[in-house]
Amino acid sequence: MTTPPAAHHPTGADPTPEPPAGHPIPEPTRTARAHSFNAAAAQYAANRPSYPPALFDAIEDLTGRPLAGSRVADVGAGTGIATALLHARGADVVAVEPGDGMAAQFRRALPGVPVIRGTGDDLPLADASVDLVTYAQAWHWTDPARAVPEALRVLRPGGALALWWNTDALDVPWIAEAAARTERHFRIDVSAEKRNVNARAADPTGRLDFTRRTVRWSRRVPVDTHLANIGSHSVFLVHGAEHTAAFLAAEREHLLRAFPDGFVEEVYEVVLLLAETPARHTRPDEAA
């Protein structure tokens, strides 16, 4: 998520608001955050939330075609959480992932699904080779000025680009309270998560016409899983073990008072942005 290190949401996506135009985040900080997941890949795979079936129903509804039999490139695939669900729906999926640790975890989880090294800014895929390009919790790590043309290049005419994020349901009191604690401890803008999941942030050039859908869902997990989930986000991973451990220890006490049975009801809203390409789109090198 292309943002300053100050943006993180406690239980949902790794929210990172888009930087103002002309003020990119410092590359070392952004790189450190992007690379931080590799050392925590197993923690990420074991504790991050998945996605509800209704999300994939929405993708099929918006594209007007089933995922079954579609050629899909899942970019920034990480440990394969979304890739596995696309594969289970019958899609012919190829995963693209730049990180060593994440790719290794992916291969352990999904040995039968191909994963190739690369980024959305320079996709290692042939022109017009896929029906759908997906980014689950990953578009914010791209440079849209490069990633949009790359997506259009590899998509077949009539194909689609789908971006989605799990965002926290801030209308749930305990989640709002946890967000406020996170904001105080890490000095971040927690509400930036939803504010920046929009078409303008996804494609500042305005080349794509995104449709937005929101799917609400929840999962019930042990407190330890919830804490491991939030601890797998980049802000926690790069903030220093002592600072993060202090927060997580205090958070455990708050959560056990709210959930004395030791199980947390995490509530999410998946925000989906989907843009279809024209039946015949102009390649970037054909543009006037």
Side-chain angles (χ1 to χ4, degrees):
M1 311 155 195
T2 40
T3 72
H8 166 75
H9 217 242
T11 61
D14 196 1
T16 40
E18 296 295 325
H23 296 278
I25 48 177
E27 191 61 28
T29 298
R30 182 170 184 264
T31 299
R33 292 188 65 184
H35 290 176
S36 67
F37 299 112
N38 289 298
Q43 177 183 348
Y44 188 111
N47 301 289
R48 284 288 184 110
S50 186
Y51 305 101
L55 168 66
F56 302 97
D57 294 341
I59 292 172
E60 292 182 327
D61 180 51
L62 289 171
T63 60
R65 69 171 67 91
L67 284 165
S70 295
R71 176 69 167 165
V72 180
D74 188 28
V75 188
T79 62
I81 294 172
T83 311
L85 296 172
L86 290 162
H87 181 68
R89 295 284 289 230
D92 177 13
V93 191
V94 58
V96 179
E97 168 56 41
D100 290 334
M102 299 293 261
Q105 188 70 35
F106 181 104
R107 291 188 182 97
R108 284 192 286 272
L110 297 169
V113 178
V115 56
I116 53 180
R117 302 298 296 280
T119 72
D121 296 344
D122 186 16
L123 288 171
L125 301 170
D127 294 359
S129 59
V130 298
D131 302 302
L132 180 67
V133 175
T134 60
Y135 283 83
Q137 314 284 131
W139 183 255
H140 47 263
W141 295 119
T142 70
D143 174 3
R146 298 174 62 189
V148 168
E150 277 294 273
L152 292 174
R153 178 182 64 79
V154 304
L155 281 168
R156 294 168 178 158
L161 171 65
L163 323 173
W164 67 84
W165 293 263
N166 269 322
T167 68
D168 288 333
L170 292 173
D171 59 323
V172 177
W174 83 263
I175 293 177
E177 292 165 7
R181 291 191 295 269
T182 304
E183 186 166 357
R184 288 194 299 269
H185 192 84
F186 290 97
R187 299 181 181 179
I188 63 172
D189 184 358
V190 171
S191 64
E193 177 181 25
K194 288 185 180 177
R195 205 169 56 238
N196 289 283
V197 179
N198 57 57
R200 183 175 180 181
D203 177 22
T205 69
R207 294 181 60 183
L208 299 175
D209 184 16
F210 282 106
T211 298
R212 178 182 171 120
R213 291 275 183 93
T214 301
V215 177
R216 192 175 178 100
W217 73 287
S218 65
R219 67 171 188 166
R220 188 169 184 265
V221 296
V223 166
D224 284 345
T225 298
H226 173 74
L227 293 171
N229 167 27
I230 64 176
S232 74
H233 289 79
S234 66
V235 166
F236 286 80
L237 295 172
V238 302
H239 230 93
E242 186 174 344
H243 192 61
T244 294
F247 175 83
L248 293 177
E251 192 64 13
R252 177 187 294 277
E253 298 301 316
H254 286 293
L255 292 170
L256 288 176
R257 283 194 291 272
F259 301 97
D261 68 348
F263 284 83
V264 175
E265 184 78 17
E266 298 177 348
V267 184
Y268 297 100
E269 289 186 345
V270 184
V271 178
L272 167 67
L273 298 176
L274 187 142
E276 292 188 279
T277 65
R280 192 225 182 265
H281 58 259
T282 302
R283 286 172 38 182
D285 59 356
E286 294 176 335

